[in-house]
Amino acid sequence: MRLFVATAAVNRQKSGCAIVGLHEGGSFSGAAAQLDEALGGRLTRLAKRGDVRGKAGEVKILDTDGAHCERVLVVGLGKKGSFGRKQYRKALVSALGAIAKTGARDAVSYLGEVVEPADAYYSARLAAEALGAALYRVPAIRSARKPPEPALKSFGFAADASQKSQAQRGLDHGQAIAAGTALTRDLANLPGNVCTPTYLAQQARELARSYSTVRTQVLEERDLKRLKMGSFLSVTNGTDEPAKLIVMRYDGGRAGQAPVALVGKGVTFDSGGISLKQPPGMDEMKFDMTGAASVFGAIKAAAEMGLKLNLVGVVPACENMPGARATKPGDIVRSMSGQTIEVINTDAEGRLILCDALTYARRFKPATVIDIATLTGACVIALGAHNSAVMSNDDELAGELVAAGRRAEDRCWHMPMGEEYHDQLKSNFADFANACGRDGGAITAACFLAKFTDGLRWAHVDIAGTAYLTGSQKGSTGRPVALLMDFLIGRA
Ligand code: BES
Ligand code: MN
Ligand code: ZN
């Protein structure tokens, strides 16, 4: 796909489709009004007849054969003053989705001028991300033939000539983020019998093959034993599928510059183990490696855009299954940090693999450590599918992530931690327990991880509610790759 900044006026720019906006109540955006004039008032007549009303989400393609643009797509912008980044991205995803069904080979969007707040970089970046979302196809494993490839080969983002360089930078970043997001979605959407820890390790090696800036190292179970990762290993006891600790390094910054470490939960299937889950929705636990997938996506996006920063991705990958050798409730395990853990509930496995991965990440002397995990059902109850949760031992870091989420339109919300929550994890038999009562479940999970982060600048992002959609829309969202990339771009 070719992405470019279109600086020509709308009545001069040749394209397969011009994307313009109409506000509810009938006022056209600047570019739409100009185009309307060039087309002899066709858009006005369309609006007068009531064929387009400007309702948010509405899209209408009209054939303008003979004009400089072969088609015009009018997208509803909703009420004036309500067209923010969220509405903009949604509008572009629907518009580009509709265009991809036509024979149009190229399209130019004139919606950048309507977004509030106005910002050529973000409008261009979000447009490129929307294009990726509109063209994304799940890796479906079907016997029937695949649907035809869209004809769309090139996309223009219209901007004033004075904004050209910011817009181009936005398109480049957006294209890189879209590529990372697509990788995350692909990995997460694959079934558990395909996307195993071994498969993830192969994908990490694949990243190293594709980018000279990426190196991969895979640690096997015998290495994990040598490292005394008793907590991580306790989760994989019930399965024959070998666990892996996948380490990916992206070097885009100065040599010797402290990296940002991204630690992603890679449970390729979470049955709950001996504390077995209920059957309804259990298939969705194939998405329990989305934290890991988002680390892969961030590394890919960083490599694609040549981000000037060093990154380390640490991914503990395993299955959580019941079995004759599986860890039992009441078992006590010793983590790599030396701290002992009473496994009250084998379904609280994410924290058990992450704590050893966090300890392992120390060897990279990271400036910041961010772990990403589909960690708790309680997080879904607290924030639903719209915000990820952020907990941190550093309020400033949490604030940076919240701000990045707002800018990237991939939001997260800062939740508290504290001594009272830590107390809930007390154990009579070990240093602490891996699970406790349901109250404040997202927070107590974060507190568990915090016990392994002394002296680190650390944040935890719980994506249990945001990583994937359920129901008829079931599938990975690719979140929080855009959030992570915005944070990292801000750091570089
Ligand atoms: N992977 C789940 C969390 C989850 C639940 C993600 C729903 C997405 C949707 C995690 O391993 C888990 O089972 N957590 C338990 C912890 C509890 C036993 C303390 C939970 O949230 O119920
Ligand atoms: Mn679980
Ligand atoms: Zn889990």
Side-chain angles (χ1 to χ4, degrees):
M1 184 69 63
R2 190 175 80 91
L3 280 79
F4 65 98
V5 181
T7 50
V10 66
N11 53 7
R12 297 185 159 229
Q13 177 70 50
K14 284 206 162 96
S15 79
C17 188
I19 305 169
V20 296
L22 171 68
H23 283 287
E24 208 173 314
S27 77
F28 282 109
S29 69
Q34 241 182 310
L35 191 60
D36 185 37
E37 210 182 303
L39 295 173
R42 252 194 93 175
L43 300 185
T44 308
R45 287 198 294 282
L46 202 72
K48 278 227 173 88
R49 272 196 254 122
D51 289 3
V52 291
R53 297 180 186 275
K55 279 230 179 312
E58 172 190 86
V59 291
K60 171 111 185 155
I61 297 181
L62 53 148
D63 194 344
T64 49
D65 216 12
H68 61 286
C69 50
E70 296 163 0
R71 305 168 188 77
V72 173
L73 184 147
V74 180
V75 56
L77 304 174
K79 293 207 171 64
K80 245 195 164 136
S82 68
F83 200 64
R85 285 185 188 164
K86 181 162 71 190
Q87 292 77 9
Y88 169 66
R89 189 176 55 193
K90 252 191 167 162
L92 269 180
V93 173
S94 340
L96 291 162
I99 292 169
K101 291 195 186 111
T102 72
R105 300 178 55 82
D106 47 27
V108 179
S109 162
Y110 294 88
L111 299 183
E113 59 173 12
V114 208
V115 200
E116 288 164 37
D119 184 315
Y121 167 78
Y122 274 102
S123 298
R125 191 176 107 185
L126 284 171
E129 291 178 39
L131 178 66
L135 298 183
Y136 180 78
R137 295 288 171 273
V138 298
I141 301 169
R142 294 191 207 279
S143 42
R145 226 164 24 91
K146 284 193 175 148
E149 287 287 312
L152 195 65
K153 291 289 172 292
S154 136
F155 173 76
F157 173 84
D160 198 76
S162 66
Q163 314 247 280
K164 188 166 180 182
S165 67
Q166 283 128 284
Q168 188 59 54
R169 193 172 133 84
L171 288 180
D172 293 345
H173 282 184
Q175 196 166 26
I177 293 169
T181 303
L183 173 62
T184 299
R185 294 178 73 177
D186 278 348
L187 293 176
N189 282 329
L190 284 171
N193 61 335
V194 174
C195 186
T196 58
T198 302
Y199 181 87
L200 285 176
Q202 282 163 355
Q203 293 304 303
R205 292 201 186 94
E206 193 57 45
L207 277 179
R209 259 196 293 281
S210 306
Y211 302 98
S212 61
T213 45
V214 177
R215 281 176 292 154
T216 292
Q217 190 192 0
V218 178
L219 281 72
E220 306 293 335
E221 284 184 11
R222 58 176 179 277
D223 304 314
L224 309 182
K225 277 187 194 120
R226 188 171 45 75
L227 287 163
K228 299 196 157 64
M229 293 197 177
S231 184
F232 178 12
L233 285 167
S234 76
V235 175
T236 199
N237 282 347
T239 179
D240 288 339
E241 205 53 71
K244 311 269 173 184
L245 184 77
I246 303 162
V247 181
M248 289 167 282
R249 303 203 62 166
Y250 165 75
D251 290 308
R254 268 190 299 105
Q257 186 177 45
V260 173
L262 301 176
V263 179
K265 172 177 174 182
V267 175
T268 57
F269 187 73
D270 179 13
S271 71
I274 297 297
S275 314
L276 196 63
K277 286 183 182 295
Q278 297 290 329
M282 212 208 268
D283 64 290
E284 289 167 9
M285 285 301 121
K286 73 172 186 176
F287 295 119
D288 212 20
M289 37 57 72
T290 308
S294 76
V295 174
F296 280 72
I299 299 263
K300 183 176 174 90
E304 280 283 330
M305 68 174 72
L307 191 69
K308 298 220 173 333
L309 191 91
N310 296 331
L311 272 178
V312 186
V314 180
V315 168
C318 69
E319 277 186 345
N320 183 24
M321 296 288 276
R325 300 192 158 274
T327 298
K328 307 170 288 298
D331 286 1
I332 294 179
V333 300
R334 187 182 295 275
S335 66
M336 185 183 177
S337 73
Q339 300 178 99
T340 58
I341 305 158
E342 183 184 7
V343 180
I344 295 291
N345 189 322
T346 65
D347 198 11
E349 85 297 341
R351 59 196 81 181
L352 293 175
I353 71 171
L354 287 170
C355 68
D356 280 344
L358 285 167
T359 302
Y360 187 79
R362 285 178 184 275
R363 67 179 53 205
F364 303 108
K365 307 229 173 334
T368 303
V369 181
I370 301 173
D371 78 70
I372 309 104
T374 46
L375 202 62
T376 64
C379 182
V380 192
I381 303 293
L383 295 173
H386 312 299
N387 277 272
S388 306
V390 179
M391 293 79 151
S392 177
N393 56 11
D394 182 321
D395 283 349
E396 204 180 307
L397 174 58
E400 263 183 75
L401 285 163
V402 170
R406 273 208 192 105
R407 287 191 301 263
E409 196 44 61
D410 182 0
R411 289 167 191 256
C412 56
W413 193 256
H414 186 189
M415 305 236 277
M417 293 198 295
E419 211 45 54
E420 315 85 307
Y421 299 100
H422 274 275
D423 287 346
Q424 289 180 236
L425 290 168
K426 282 194 168 146
S427 162
N428 285 350
F429 306 102
D431 290 336
F432 42 83
N434 80 325
C436 52
R438 296 164 62 206
D439 297 6
I443 296 174
T444 51
C447 287
F448 178 96
L449 296 175
K451 295 178 187 296
F452 300 84
T453 62
D454 266 357
L456 294 175
R457 189 161 175 270
W458 160 79
H460 157 64
V461 185
D462 194 334
I463 55 167
T466 54
Y468 59 95
L469 302 173
T470 60
S472 66
Q473 297 285 314
K474 193 185 290 182
S476 166
T477 59
R479 292 177 70 179
V481 173
L483 157 69
L484 293 172
M485 292 320 294
D486 196 281
F487 171 81
L488 294 171
I489 290 165
R491 279 296 185 89

